[in-house]
Amino acid sequence: MDTDKTSVYNAFVAELKLLFPHEEIEARVRQLGAEITADYRGADPLIIGVLKGAVIFLADLIRQIDLPLEIDFIGLSSYGDGTSSCGEAIVTACPAVSLKGRHVLLVEDIIDTGYCLETLLKIIKAGEPASVKLCALLDKPGRRQVPVSADYSGFNVPDAFVVGYGLDCGQRYRNLPDIYTLGESESG
Ligand code: 5GP
Ligand code: MG
């Protein structure tokens, strides 16, 4: 066991400030699932999660959607490993199924500047889906640089870096069940 890594992890977690406890997230995810179920009634949507941050949210969300849905994933990686958003991004994974004629619901962890989603939406639309909607757990509307908005949005968050429930800091802390702020740091 690397006790040094464990103590760094524990010290970081001890400094975090609770923003949304998992009970609150669960209740909001249930509402979003009910809305999506009602809106897509009669359809078999293709729900595409954005790796890696949206994995936890997607796993909970789809269990609140009562439809014959399919899931797939798309991956976008920003340079570096820290707390920056993706101004320059590389595609790390593409959906395995054809998007043509499908009702696609893109599921993202957080919209910050909007650059990531602008890129992702371009890729998705190139696949000629019948429709594309966006569901984001978190939104920082005050940080937007490009006009991207979610059709389904969980919570607005202040201009602070958030971690937990899939959201990382340097690839760690995605496993925390609640959502925390790291402090009033720059996330761009
Ligand atoms: P955007 O392109 O909208 O600026 O950035 C979106 C991506 O940046 C998100 O999908 C997420 O990966 C990352 N990001 C933006 N803000 C935060 C944040 O507060 N915490 C974490 N963990 N990631 C963030
Ligand atoms: Mg992301």
Side-chain angles (χ1 to χ4, degrees):
M1 290 283 264
D2 192 333
T3 50
D4 196 45
K5 283 186 178 160
T6 305
S7 55
V8 169
Y9 176 87
N10 289 339
F12 183 93
V13 172
E15 290 297 311
L16 295 172
K17 282 189 284 184
L18 184 62
L19 186 61
F20 301 115
H22 66 269
E23 296 86 353
E24 207 176 319
I25 301 168
E26 199 181 300
R28 189 70 189 108
V29 170
R30 204 175 301 124
Q31 290 172 345
L32 290 172
E35 258 184 74
I36 292 163
T37 301
D39 291 354
Y40 284 86
R41 181 75 60 205
D44 59 338
L46 175 60
I47 310 227
I48 300 184
V50 182
L51 297 171
K52 306 172 204 170
V55 163
I56 310 285
F57 175 41
L58 180 132
D60 284 347
L61 181 67
I62 59 170
R63 285 177 286 179
Q64 301 300 329
I65 301 175
D66 188 20
L67 293 171
L69 60 81
E70 274 179 69
I71 63 165
D72 211 320
F73 295 94
I74 192 163
L76 203 63
S77 213
S78 51
Y79 52 85
D81 234 6
T83 59
S84 59
S85 287
C86 39
E88 283 171 54
I90 48 162
V91 176
T92 57
C94 275
V97 299
S98 168
L99 309 187
K100 200 172 172 70
R102 299 300 305 268
H103 293 286
V104 171
L105 179 63
L106 190 62
V107 174
E108 176 62 303
D109 52 1
I110 186 165
I111 317 178
D112 185 23
T113 62
Y115 286 125
C116 281
L117 278 165
E118 192 183 42
T119 303
L120 288 171
L121 287 169
K122 258 183 223 160
I123 295 168
I124 300 281
K125 283 174 183 167
E128 299 178 19
S131 70
V132 184
K133 281 190 181 183
L134 173 62
C135 176
L137 177 65
L138 304 174
D139 194 347
K140 291 184 194 169
R143 296 252 317 153
R144 205 72 93 251
Q145 298 290 321
V146 287
V148 173
S149 62
D151 300 281
Y152 306 95
S153 173
F155 303 98
N156 278 356
V157 294
D159 183 10
F161 199 78
V162 297
V163 297
Y165 196 73
L167 291 123
D168 73 310
C169 181
Q171 298 300 330
R172 300 258 163 104
Y173 315 103
R174 297 189 194 275
N175 50 315
L176 298 174
D178 310 302
I179 294 173
Y180 299 85
T181 58
L182 212 81
E184 302 302 308
S185 72
E186 260 298 301
S187 58

